[in-house]
Amino acid sequence: METAVNGSRSAGVSVFDDLNELSHAAAKLFQRLSRAAIGTKGKFVAALSGGTTPRGLYTLLGSAPYVNAIDWRRIHLFWADERCVPPEHSESNYKLVRDTLLKNISLPEGNIHRVHGEAVPDEAARAYEQDIREFFGTLTFPNFDFILLGVGADGHTASLFPGSSAIAEPARIAVPVYLEALQVNRVTLTLPVINHAANVLFLAAGKAKASILQNILYQDNSLRYPAGQILTENGTVAWFLDREAAGK
Ligand code: 6PG
């Protein structure tokens, strides 16, 4: 059931017994949304996140029954963010998707739009932005069909961290960010891009996320957190949580 929340239609919060159930529900949603988009416009354009939570989903999407029920030739994969490391690096979000999903599907090379994390961060961000602009044929903001996000215990999503100037970026599609605490560089989609998506799906699991989710989903101070600022203009925002993450 969709209810209007803060001006965006929210697909709401769904709670699952465990991460496996959550991952299957997410795979079913990906399958349903991709079939609908391919049916109406011949392609489905998704941006994926890194982290640990989506590993199960990516593995399921590359396995039966999902792998055979999705028309991969018509799917384009982008990333919501990327660590500024080479594609072979253990921290690479591209590597995560390659090792869990891409290895099991025959996605045409031209359908994989990775961030070149091996490049200088600002150059990687500009090249990624150019790729997105050319792909969508837009000079403003692209409309991704689907953006998969996680949420950190601090309320970050993609690589939009609390207090980061990247949150307020009004015009660029992708920007480099330097994470002082971790002393690492990343490239992230910006908030307007995420908020222009047709469907945003957050996955969150584990009791370490219970507090931040209570703040974002059930307190009125959600806008303090980047993940609480995902309010798509015309799309839906769905939260898939396991019982532990929904504990509060
Ligand atoms: C990344 C992700 C990041 C992630 C959250 C949650 O590049 O790491 O984009 O935003 O979604 O940090 O990570 P977990 O799924 O590991 O909790």
Side-chain angles (χ1 to χ4, degrees):
M1 189 266 281
E2 291 177 355
T3 53
V5 173
N6 301 325
S8 81
R9 277 181 309 130
S10 164
V13 179
S14 305
V15 181
F16 301 90
D17 282 344
D18 55 33
L19 182 54
N20 182 53
E21 289 293 309
L22 180 156
S23 303
H24 274 279
K28 289 186 180 82
L29 180 62
F30 185 99
Q31 179 184 329
R32 177 167 68 78
L33 293 175
S34 60
R35 180 178 296 155
I38 291 166
T40 53
K41 59 190 183 108
K43 64 185 169 194
F44 180 67
V45 188
L48 303 178
S49 275
T52 54
T53 309
R55 290 187 72 91
L57 166 60
Y58 300 154
T59 304
L60 285 176
L61 288 175
S63 319
Y66 306 102
V67 70
N68 306 312
I70 294 169
D71 186 354
W72 291 104
R73 293 160 306 150
R74 298 190 180 282
I75 291 187
H76 285 261
L77 295 182
F78 291 79
W79 275 256
D81 68 335
E82 182 56 281
R83 290 80 180 279
C84 292
V85 295
E88 293 307 322
H89 193 287
S90 61
E91 284 289 300
S92 164
N93 288 344
Y94 162 75
K95 183 178 187 304
L96 166 66
V97 175
R98 190 195 66 193
D99 296 350
T100 52
L101 172 57
L102 298 184
K103 69 176 184 181
N104 294 323
I105 59 177
S106 49
L107 204 60
E109 199 54 39
N111 292 34
I112 300 171
H113 305 263
R114 72 176 183 91
V115 180
H116 287 250
E118 64 276 23
V120 167
D122 192 55
E123 289 169 14
R126 290 192 186 285
Y128 190 49
E129 187 168 70
Q130 187 60 26
D131 180 12
I132 293 172
R133 283 228 156 89
E134 281 170 11
F135 179 82
F136 283 92
T138 177
L139 291 176
T140 54
F141 295 111
N143 295 99
F144 280 93
D145 295 308
F146 181 78
I147 297 184
L148 183 78
L149 295 174
V151 59
D154 61 356
H156 81 261
T157 191
S159 284
L160 297 169
F161 284 76
S164 164
S165 57
I167 296 168
E169 168 55 49
R172 289 189 60 181
I173 286 177
V175 293
V177 293
Y178 178 67
L179 304 183
E180 199 75 41
L182 302 173
Q183 300 214 317
V184 295
N185 288 292
R186 297 206 181 166
V187 170
T188 186
L189 291 181
T190 55
L191 205 53
V193 172
I194 300 172
N195 284 339
H196 272 75
N199 298 281
V200 173
L201 175 62
F202 279 96
L203 303 185
K207 50 178 168 305
K209 303 291 174 76
S211 293
I212 190 64
L213 288 167
Q214 183 191 31
N215 280 327
I216 290 173
L217 296 176
Y218 301 107
Q219 311 285 338
D220 59 4
N221 60 1
S222 62
L223 292 177
R224 280 176 48 195
Y225 308 100
Q229 297 183 42
I230 306 303
L231 306 165
T232 57
E233 277 131 35
N234 301 306
T236 62
V237 180
W239 290 80
F240 283 7
L241 316 180
D242 72 353
R243 286 215 178 288
E244 285 190 338
K248 295 192 174 182

